[in-house]
């Protein structure tokens, strides 16, 4: 494991956007996404870094983009540094494995969440109202229960602050009903296709989040997909509805933070090294299980 990267500066490229985890640069009409080892939780970037996380997210997204390429076009152009423009070759060492050249896309302001199991804010909404994102669910479901059919539960993509679950009707109002219907159907199909692969590796994808954009009237899948930052991954072997599940994803960090006295309104605390190490191991473990690869 090499040292963790807080940010990846490329002074000669115009910055397109600095997200919580990704540093994005403009490369002609394209974007270079460089994934740092930053980790966010409860809408805060934590002061601690998770070694190799940026590589894991990039390699796993690439694996999935290839796996689902027949379902929907995606933004990936290449992750091979040799295929990046000549001016970037001197950054090879820092960019290696953690960067992807992508098409620049106008992203819809909607987080497209698919849930096959009831967890997180889906479970919280259901407990309070029986409904999540406008979807009425059967009575008597337990925490982490499998749903009969995967459901599409969009959320707003807030520029600042917390994303909020919205109903499908509200999504239709935001981006139109034709696009919303298509995006919902694609999202469910992506979830089903990836779940089949994951289950063959002993992993349940409890829920996941996509982002989409539009070029020339074509819907394009962007951002990261089926990573431990964007999905809940539960080992089948320990799955037992009725409570929260052991998971190979960011939930481990959220659970740790929930157990501290941090108020989520002021800057978050450092993670103890034990939590950093365990998070790094979980991220590597899910990468290994899903891709059958031992190295990044
Ligand atoms: N192909 C793309 N074109 C334009 N923007 C993109 C593309 N892929 C992802 N994005 C945007 O880039 C950002 C990714 O950086 P990230 O650190 O994950 O940000 P955030 O803090 O918003 O989650 C997201 O805002 C996402 O919508
Ligand atoms: Mg993001």
């Amino acid at each position: 494991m090499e040292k963790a990267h807080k940010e990846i500066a490329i002074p000669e490229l115009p910055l397109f956007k600095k997200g919580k985890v990704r540093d994005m640069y403009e490369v002609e009409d394209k974007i270079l996404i460089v994934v740092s080892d930053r980790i966010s939780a409860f809408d805060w970037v934590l002061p601690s870094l998770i070694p190799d996380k940026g590589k894991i997210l990039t390699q796993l997204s690439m694996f999935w983009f290839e796996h689902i390429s027949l379902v929907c076009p995606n933004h990936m152009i290449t992750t091979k540094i040799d295929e990046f423009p000549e001016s970037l070759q001197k950054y090879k060492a820092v960019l290696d494995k953690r960067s992807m050249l992508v098409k620049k896309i106008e992203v819809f302001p909607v987080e497209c969440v698919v849930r096959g199991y009831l967890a997180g804010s889906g479970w919280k909404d259901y407990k309070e109202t029986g409904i999540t994102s406008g979807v009425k669910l059967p009575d008597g479901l337990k925490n982490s229960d499998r749903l009969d059919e995967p459901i599409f539960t969009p959320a707003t993509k807030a520029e600042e602050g917390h994303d909020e679950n919205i109903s499908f009707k509200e999504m239709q109002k935001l981006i139109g009903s034709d696009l919303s219907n298509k995006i919902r159907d694609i999202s469910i199909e992506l979830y089903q296709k990836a779940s089949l692969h994951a289950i063959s590796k002993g992993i349940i994808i409890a829920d996941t989040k996509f982002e989409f954009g539009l070029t020339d009237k074509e819907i394009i899948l962007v951002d990261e997909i089926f990573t431990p930052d964007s999905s809940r991954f539960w080992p089948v072997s320990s799955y037992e509805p009725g409570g929260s599940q052991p998971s190979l994803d960011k939930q481990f960090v959220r659970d740790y933070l929930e157990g501290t006295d941090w108020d989520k309104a002021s800057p978050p605390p450092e993670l103890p090294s034990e939590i950093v190490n365990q998070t790094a191991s979980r991220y590597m473990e899910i990468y290994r299980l899903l891709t059958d690869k031992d190295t990044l």
Side-chain angles (χ1 to χ4, degrees):
M1 210 182 287
E2 53 157 358
K3 103 177 196 331
H5 288 265
K6 181 167 188 211
E7 51 199 355
I8 297 87
I10 307 187
E12 63 254 61
L13 290 183
L15 186 69
F16 172 70
K17 180 177 174 171
K18 192 170 163 127
K20 289 192 283 289
V21 173
R22 272 149 264 270
D23 295 341
M24 303 169 74
Y25 296 96
E26 304 206 32
V27 178
E28 295 143 17
D29 58 340
K30 307 174 197 73
I31 291 177
L32 177 69
I33 300 187
V34 191
V35 189
S36 74
D37 295 322
R38 303 191 291 270
I39 185 163
S40 69
F42 305 108
D43 297 314
W44 287 87
V45 178
L46 307 185
S48 307
L49 301 172
I50 308 297
D52 281 346
K53 176 173 178 277
K55 294 186 178 180
I56 294 169
L57 298 190
T58 304
Q59 297 303 307
L60 203 47
S61 287
M62 181 189 80
F63 167 83
W64 286 116
F65 280 134
E66 286 165 358
H67 186 79
I68 56 78
S69 62
L70 296 180
V71 177
C72 171
N74 65 69
H75 69 165
M76 181 168 71
I77 298 169
T78 183
T79 57
K80 294 197 186 90
I81 313 288
D82 298 352
E83 294 172 10
F84 290 4
E86 182 52 40
S87 62
L88 293 176
Q89 297 305 319
K90 63 176 184 245
Y91 294 103
K92 188 174 170 99
V94 275
L95 294 180
D96 194 36
K97 304 274 174 27
R98 62 172 74 244
S99 43
M100 190 182 281
L101 195 62
V102 303
K103 294 178 189 144
K104 184 179 191 170
I105 313 278
E106 184 102 36
V107 181
F108 294 118
V110 180
E111 309 251 336
C112 299
V113 179
V114 178
R115 302 171 189 278
Y117 294 73
L118 204 48
S121 70
W123 166 244
K124 187 167 167 282
D125 292 349
Y126 172 79
K127 241 185 345 187
E128 287 160 13
T129 63
I131 297 172
T132 183
S133 292
V135 182
K136 172 86 183 90
L137 293 168
D139 290 342
L141 292 178
K142 297 192 291 295
N143 190 2
S144 307
D145 256 337
R146 181 173 190 274
L147 303 171
D148 287 341
E149 293 289 336
I151 57 172
F152 182 69
T153 59
T156 55
K157 196 170 145 44
E159 276 298 323
E160 287 287 319
H162 204 63
D163 299 334
E164 264 178 49
N165 290 341
I166 55 172
S167 68
F168 186 61
K169 278 215 172 73
E170 284 168 281
M171 175 172 169
Q172 288 176 316
K173 267 187 233 152
L174 277 175
I175 69 166
S177 59
D178 187 42
L179 278 172
S180 299
N181 292 344
K182 285 191 183 128
I183 286 175
R184 175 197 54 202
D185 294 350
I186 294 168
S187 298
I188 300 269
E189 197 179 334
L190 289 169
Y191 172 80
Q192 282 168 327
K193 171 126 189 159
S195 292
L196 273 181
H197 172 77
I199 213 82
S200 78
K201 305 293 173 191
I203 296 296
I204 292 168
I205 305 177
D207 54 36
T208 196
K209 182 218 79 175
F210 309 111
E211 293 183 33
F212 294 92
L214 201 58
T215 51
D216 305 308
K217 307 259 168 350
E218 190 178 38
I219 294 170
I220 310 268
L221 179 59
V222 303
D223 209 49
E224 61 180 340
I225 57 166
F226 301 112
T227 71
D229 273 11
S230 71
S231 318
R232 284 194 170 78
F233 294 122
W234 298 340
V236 176
S237 55
S238 50
Y239 175 61
E240 200 180 320
S244 55
Q245 305 301 308
S247 65
L248 294 172
D249 55 54
K250 200 161 78 173
Q251 192 56 35
F252 178 70
V253 173
R254 295 191 199 102
D255 289 347
Y256 165 77
L257 289 168
E258 294 274 20
T260 68
D261 55 11
W262 177 47
D263 62 4
K264 298 180 193 153
S266 48
E270 288 270 357
L271 300 174
S273 61
E274 179 57 21
I275 299 294
V276 167
N277 294 341
Q278 282 205 49
T279 305
S281 316
R282 277 159 206 255
Y283 274 56
M284 195 58 203
E285 177 68 4
I286 193 67
Y287 166 80
R288 278 201 196 96
L289 287 169
L290 291 171
T291 64
D292 282 328
K293 287 189 198 127
D294 276 333
T295 51
L296 285 163

